[in-house]
């Protein structure tokens, strides 16, 4: 541990106990007692009001007002930080190792009552989500630094699912985690506009010496979401979709990110959406198939016809594969 870490640890220990001796501090931190004296002197010189009592029951303690200051998190704050770390790890947070170290320090230098409390609550919370590719960690770390330091970077970016890559110059404005995928949002010099890029499709990332100025109040989150929602001009072209069904199925349907933005009205057994025609024709039928007979499309008529067509095509496809499988032939 560094000198700063040791000094902070001494503060935590003084905060959690009424009085502690130099030997207790040295044993707890596994350092020489003379080093403890030096750190105590350095803390006093920096303005920390440490009281030193001599004698058999002596030791170090903090001045009452300083002890009551928010130097250390309370039980609820510690619980919130530790549980939030679970979500961060599952989302593929690129500085997970440092986060784990911080949580370990939090547990080591809290008092026993607080430790028992947070461990009790830690046991009851788990998060399950698709894990980010471990190979992205270094790339995400570099992008986070690039965003903070405002340096233009050159990238080789894979478009679509092919192997072809394209060279771009990017001013990275921010990182966004959306549906278990990481995106970097920034100004693309090739397209001369703000674009979003999937991090898992960035093949190389190289810093330049060119600095950029991030737009005031820019939100990478809002930019990414704006690309998922129809514009004001497109609102007039939206088509009504009415679906009835079991209440629980409609709850799930209305809460899903595919449809939640288009929800207009909801009753117990019916949901009314307004969606783009392209989505209704191409992606919505496949999405609705997973709900089986728990829902029913009432309008538009062409969506009902599309559902029939998609189902028929799937039936024919798997029926053909079934016969080929029975024949014992392998192509």
């Amino acid at each position: 541990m560094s000198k700063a870490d040791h000094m902070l640890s001494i503060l935590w220990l003084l905060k959690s106990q009424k009085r502690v001796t130099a030997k207790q501090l040295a044993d707890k931190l596994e350092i020489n007692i003379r080093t403890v004296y030096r750190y105590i002197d350095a803390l006093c010189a920096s303005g920390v009001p440490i009281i030193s009592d001599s004698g058999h029951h002596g030791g170090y303690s903090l001045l009452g007002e300083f002890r009551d200051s928010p130097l250390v998190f309370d039980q609820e704050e510690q619980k919130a930080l530790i549980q939030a770390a679970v979500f961060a790890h599952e989302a593929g947070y690129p500085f997970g190792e440092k986060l784990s170290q911080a949580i370990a320090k939090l547990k080591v230098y809290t008092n026993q009552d607080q430790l028992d409390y947070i461990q009790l609550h830690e046991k009851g919370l788990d998060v399950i989500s698709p894990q980010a590719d471990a190979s992205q960690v270094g790339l995400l770390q570099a992008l986070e630094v690039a965003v903070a330091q405002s340096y233009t970077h050159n990238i080789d970016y894979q478009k679509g699912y092919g192997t072809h890559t394209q060279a771009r110059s990017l001013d990275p404005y921010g990182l966004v985690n959306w549906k278990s995928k990481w995106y970097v949002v920034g100004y693309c010099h090739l397209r001369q506009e703000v674009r979003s890029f999937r991090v898992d499709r960035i093949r190389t990332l190289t810093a330049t010496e060119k600095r950029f100025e991030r737009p005031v109040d820019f939100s990478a989150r809002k930019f990414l979401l704006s690309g998922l929602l129809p514009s004001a001009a497109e609102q007039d072209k939206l088509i009504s979709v009415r679906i009835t069904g079991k209440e629980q199925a409609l709850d799930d349907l209305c809460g899903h990110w595919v449809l939640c933005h288009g929800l207009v009205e909801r009753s117990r057994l019916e949901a009314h959406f307004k969606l783009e025609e392209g989505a209704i024709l191409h992606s919505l039928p496949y999405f609705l198939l997973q709900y089986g007979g728990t829902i029913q499309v009432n309008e538009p008529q062409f969506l009902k016809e599309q559902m029939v067509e998609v189902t028929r095509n799937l039936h024919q496809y798997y029926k053909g594969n079934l016969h080929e499988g029975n024949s014992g032939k392998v192509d």
Side-chain angles (χ1 to χ4, degrees):
M1 293 175 64
S2 66
K3 177 181 178 181
D5 286 335
H6 279 131
M7 292 174 66
L8 180 60
S9 299
I10 289 174
L11 280 177
W12 280 64
L13 291 168
L14 291 173
K15 174 75 175 182
S16 62
Q17 301 180 44
K18 291 184 178 180
R19 186 175 286 106
V20 60
T21 66
K23 185 178 186 309
Q24 288 173 329
L25 290 172
D27 291 343
K28 185 71 174 178
L29 300 178
E30 298 181 349
I31 57 178
N32 190 284
I33 194 169
R34 293 176 180 173
T35 305
V36 172
Y37 293 143
R38 290 200 304 272
Y39 289 160
I40 292 290
D41 290 341
L43 287 168
C44 291
S46 67
V48 179
I50 299 176
I51 301 172
S52 175
D53 295 318
S54 59
H56 181 67
H57 297 290
Y60 296 108
S61 61
L62 289 174
L63 190 66
E65 293 181 358
F66 194 84
R67 176 187 293 278
D68 296 333
S69 66
L71 175 67
V72 182
F73 304 112
D74 62 25
Q75 285 183 333
E76 292 299 317
E77 292 168 336
Q78 290 182 25
K79 178 186 74 174
L81 288 171
I82 289 173
Q83 291 181 340
V86 177
F87 283 86
H89 279 299
E90 287 296 317
Y93 178 62
F95 298 95
E97 183 179 351
K98 292 298 181 183
L99 180 59
S100 296
Q101 291 176 7
I103 295 300
K105 287 181 181 179
L106 184 66
K107 292 180 179 180
V108 168
Y109 300 118
T110 188
N111 61 54
Q112 190 59 48
D113 289 341
Q114 291 177 328
L115 181 61
D116 292 341
Y117 177 81
I118 60 180
Q119 286 181 337
L120 182 65
H121 286 270
E122 187 180 20
K123 294 177 183 177
L125 180 70
D126 287 301
V127 178
I128 300 176
S129 65
Q131 290 291 303
D133 189 346
S135 63
Q136 292 183 36
V137 172
L139 184 58
L140 284 168
Q141 291 177 350
L143 284 169
E144 191 276 336
V145 173
V147 170
Q149 296 183 349
S150 300
Y151 276 101
T152 299
H153 279 61
N154 294 327
I155 64 173
D156 285 322
Y157 189 70
Q158 175 188 330
K159 296 187 63 177
Y161 296 97
T163 58
H164 176 69
T165 61
Q166 188 176 53
R168 306 278 186 106
S169 288
L170 175 68
D171 297 342
Y173 292 162
L175 285 167
V176 182
N177 185 278
W178 166 253
K179 304 302 291 183
S180 302
K181 294 289 185 183
W182 283 95
Y183 297 81
V184 57
V185 178
Y187 181 79
C188 174
H189 289 260
L190 179 65
R191 303 302 183 194
Q192 296 187 340
E193 62 181 1
V194 178
R195 290 287 188 95
S196 63
F197 300 87
R198 274 180 48 171
V199 173
D200 61 341
R201 292 182 180 174
I202 296 177
R203 295 295 167 252
T204 63
L205 177 72
T206 308
T208 71
E209 296 182 356
K210 183 180 178 182
R211 302 293 296 269
F212 66 86
E213 187 172 337
R214 190 173 186 267
V216 178
D217 297 329
F218 178 84
S219 170
R221 178 182 185 275
K222 288 181 179 179
F223 176 84
L224 192 68
L225 288 177
S226 68
L228 302 173
L229 304 177
S231 65
E234 295 170 331
Q235 290 284 347
D236 296 335
K237 300 178 182 179
L238 299 181
I239 298 172
S240 288
V241 176
R242 294 184 183 273
I243 299 174
T244 57
K246 295 182 178 180
E247 185 175 4
Q248 188 174 2
L250 289 179
D251 288 342
D252 183 70
L253 192 71
C254 294
H256 200 283
W257 69 272
V258 171
L259 289 175
C260 63
H261 67 275
L263 182 63
V264 176
E265 187 179 8
R266 165 71 195 279
S267 64
R268 190 171 70 87
L269 299 178
E270 183 181 60
H272 177 205
F273 304 92
K274 282 198 170 182
L275 305 169
E276 296 171 315
E277 183 178 6
I280 296 173
L281 281 172
H282 303 298
S283 59
L284 188 58
Y286 296 95
F287 174 73
L288 294 178
L289 281 178
Q290 65 183 301
Y291 292 92
T294 61
I295 63 169
Q296 180 177 325
V297 176
N298 293 332
E299 66 173 50
Q301 180 63 27
F302 73 83
L303 175 57
K304 297 168 70 174
E305 294 170 355
Q306 191 71 1
M307 293 287 293
V308 172
E309 182 66 19
V310 167
T311 306
R312 181 186 296 115
N313 290 339
L314 285 172
H315 172 73
Q316 292 297 329
Y317 174 77
Y318 282 102
K319 184 178 179 181
N321 283 348
L322 181 63
H323 292 320
E324 291 177 8
N326 290 338
S327 68
K329 296 180 179 179
V330 179
D331 293 332

